Amino acid sequence: MDAYEIAVIPGDGIGPEVVDAALPLVADAAEEAGFSFETTRFDWGTERYLDRGEMMPDDGLDRLSAFDSIFLGAVGHPEVPDHVTLHGLLLPIRKGFDQYVCKRPNVLFEGIESPLRGYGSGDIDFVVYRENTEGEYASVGGREHRGFDHETAVQSALFTRRGTERIVRAAFEAAAAREGHLTSVTKSNAQAHSMVFWDDVVEEVATEFPSVEVERLLVDAAAMDLIRRPHEFDVLVASNLFGDILTDVGAQITGSMGLAPSGNVHPDESSPSMFEPVHGSAPDIVGEGVANPLATVLSWSMLFEELGETRAADALWTGVTDQLADDDAPRTPDIGGTAGTDDVVADLRSRL
Ligand code: NAD
Ligand code: IPM
Ligand code: MN
């Protein structure tokens, strides 16, 4: 059988720490499940930018296009403005490969303490479908008259019918396959163009999914309700920015940024999808060897799932679940332990 070809971009900060720690483990999981993959490492990121003035080469996307999938660590560096680094590497990949479904599961695992009182194992289990190619991230706008009193900055959000329908439909499909509950998050009380349009699309697509119960929430209320009643959510669908914000809330109520995985999915095989932990480069802990590698491991599980390698995907997900449920297992400081990145991965390898 052919090996999969996977591009690995460790990136900045703790990105290389968690990516390199997890690679031998995920290779074990593949071997155990009877397949293999080759990785090609791309040392693209801010070190390259500081050296050569670019985050990735001009033909970066071309070079990635032949791969079955992409794994990314994190992007962001204290010495370079974030809009430069993110628009130089992460965002062009999501957009260039039309990875329009950003899938972000939030699960409260056994053994993890939620900051929310009374919430225990399994009480929180929802997935956010974040629109990933347009909306507030469309880069439509400009800045004029710098330094003058009448300086103006415009940043428009772009919502197309194609872009909105496809993420909404993907979320309905997910809800139909899960608990049948979809929450659409907007701000249509204030944003009467884009968000009322979004509401209309939700209403239209809903007719294709009579089994799915639809709830609408304004984003401010959604932020509150993720804290007040997270057990009631199943699938949430939101615009690019709202999905970004809500998934940090989701990560925190389920224990840590260090446990939150994500997939940037282009659903057919014409372009590769990209998987990455939700967290960033975490400059506050870089080099300490304590970054939690589990968001990375769970993101690899999502990558294998997307490739149809369910056995390896399940082995990784179950390995993490079992480890977290085990009081004696090593854990990193973000989830209450004292262990390092490598100890956590070594323990996981012994469980596979
Ligand atoms: P961050 O996710 O890097 O860190 C937020 C907090 O969570 C920090 O206290 C950090 O120590 C902690 N944390 C994150 N990941 C952790 C892990 N695996 N284990 C333990 N603790 C972890 O967010 P930030 O501080 O807002 O951003 C830092 C940089 O990362 C910025 O440059 C930002 O633009 C960038 N960023 C990149 C991505 C990405 O590449 N996808 C995502 C978010 C932020
Ligand atoms: C994320 C990050 C990125 C986003 C940033 C770094 C551009 O916060 O993946 O959640 O907003 O998508
Ligand atoms: Mn984010």
Side-chain angles (χ1 to χ4, degrees):
M1 191 183 69
D2 287 346
Y4 295 102
E5 293 285 347
I6 300 181
V8 174
I9 309 172
D12 300 329
I14 63 165
E17 297 179 21
V18 289
V19 167
D20 290 335
L23 274 175
L25 166 78
V26 298
D28 283 356
E31 193 187 325
E32 195 68 23
F35 70 96
S36 63
F37 63 89
E38 299 275 340
T39 56
T40 304
R41 185 188 179 94
F42 293 95
D43 285 318
W44 298 345
T46 310
E47 293 302 335
R48 179 192 171 94
Y49 178 86
L50 290 168
D51 197 35
R52 315 165 61 157
E54 57 178 22
M55 295 291 289
M56 65 172 162
D58 282 345
D59 65 348
L61 291 188
D62 276 350
R63 288 167 67 178
L64 294 175
S65 63
F67 286 88
D68 296 304
S69 199
I70 303 166
F71 198 93
L72 181 131
V75 179
H77 192 290
E79 283 170 38
V80 182
D82 283 336
H83 66 271
V84 173
T85 56
L86 274 313
H87 282 279
L89 183 53
L90 173 72
L91 297 173
I93 298 175
R94 289 184 186 164
K95 179 138 184 166
F97 292 126
D98 204 20
Q99 295 163 344
Y100 63 89
V101 180
C102 180
K103 210 188 279 187
R104 296 188 159 180
N106 291 97
V107 180
L108 181 55
F109 293 110
E110 186 184 346
I112 290 295
E113 201 181 333
S114 171
L116 303 182
R117 200 183 326 125
Y119 280 87
S121 162
D123 291 344
I124 304 175
D125 184 352
F126 60 80
V127 57
V128 176
Y129 274 57
R130 167 188 181 191
E131 200 292 316
N132 215 28
T133 55
E134 53 175 45
E136 307 87 346
Y137 283 41
S139 276
V140 182
R143 190 168 158 191
E144 302 276 348
H145 315 298
R146 279 177 190 253
F148 291 95
D149 261 2
H150 57 289
E151 179 164 358
T152 312
V154 174
Q155 182 101 42
S156 296
L158 180 77
F159 289 83
T160 64
R161 174 162 286 277
R162 172 170 174 267
T164 308
E165 268 185 22
R166 63 187 184 172
I167 185 66
V168 166
R169 189 167 284 113
F172 267 104
E173 280 164 6
R178 288 176 49 113
E179 305 288 308
H181 187 87
L182 178 69
T183 306
S184 169
V185 179
T186 64
K187 186 66 188 173
S188 38
N189 53 352
Q191 298 179 310
H193 304 301
S194 57
M195 295 289 91
V196 173
F197 166 67
W198 178 292
D199 282 345
D200 290 347
V201 169
V202 169
E203 201 174 309
E204 287 165 31
V205 177
T207 61
E208 298 165 27
F209 298 89
S211 69
V212 176
E213 184 195 348
V214 182
E215 175 188 17
R216 290 162 194 278
L217 276 184
L218 299 169
V219 64
D220 46 354
M224 176 183 73
D225 279 347
L226 280 180
I227 288 164
R228 190 169 62 122
R229 52 172 188 99
H231 57 284
E232 291 180 9
F233 293 101
D234 178 23
V235 180
L236 293 93
V237 63
S239 67
N240 212 331
L241 179 63
F242 294 168
D244 176 45
I245 296 166
L246 295 179
T247 51
D248 265 31
V249 178
Q252 207 51 50
I253 61 176
T254 52
S256 172
M257 283 307 279
L259 292 175
S262 90
N264 305 279
V265 179
H266 178 85
D268 67 51
E269 279 163 21
S270 60
S271 292
S273 295
M274 175 167 70
F275 296 81
E276 52 170 332
V278 173
H279 65 73
S281 56
D284 55 336
I285 57 166
V286 73
E288 290 175 21
V290 294
N292 191 337
L294 297 182
T296 296
V297 175
L298 294 172
S299 301
W300 271 98
S301 170
M302 292 177 71
L303 183 157
F304 286 153
E305 184 79 44
E306 196 63 31
L307 292 177
E309 297 295 347
T310 314
R311 245 184 84 198
D314 289 349
L316 290 176
W317 200 276
T318 309
V320 170
T321 312
D322 290 350
Q323 183 187 58
L324 291 172
D326 180 350
D327 286 342
D328 297 326
R331 47 173 71 202
T332 46
D334 58 307
I335 49 172
T338 54
T341 310
D342 292 338
D343 307 322
V344 171
V345 174
D347 175 80
L348 255 184
R349 278 185 93 173
S350 72
R351 286 167 197 271
L352 274 191

